[in-house]
Amino acid sequence: GPQQMAFLREAGSERVIVALNCAENPARIELKLPPGCGSLVDLLNPPARFAAQKETCVLDVAPNWARILQCVS
């Protein structure tokens, strides 16, 4: 089955995306972002930040690792 997945959680105005890589190798994951999410701040690896391009963001996730990404405008 798939070894990568991502999901969005929302609480009020806060939005967080969790991207998981369960593989033994690094993975590049393309995320479709919710409207108004201009960039993502990696809460596990500060100050890593990823810019959105047309509501899409492509990022690398290390083997057996996750990124917890907070949406910011």
Side-chain angles (χ1 to χ4, degrees):
Q3 295 185 300
Q4 294 80 33
M5 68 175 286
F7 57 91
L8 170 72
R9 290 289 180 256
E10 295 181 276
S13 63
E14 188 170 1
R15 294 175 293 181
V16 174
I17 296 171
V18 177
L20 302 163
N21 178 18
C22 299
E24 297 293 324
N25 298 306
R28 179 156 286 172
I29 299 175
E30 182 174 328
L31 302 171
K32 180 167 173 38
L33 304 179
C37 186
S39 64
L40 299 168
V41 175
D42 189 335
L43 300 177
L44 290 179
N45 302 293
R49 188 177 190 125
F50 303 93
Q53 300 291 327
K54 299 181 182 176
E55 296 186 353
T56 300
C57 184
V58 178
L59 51 96
D60 294 320
V61 182
N64 298 306
W65 192 247
R67 291 193 184 268
I68 299 176
L69 305 154
Q70 183 175 22
C71 291
V72 293
S73 45

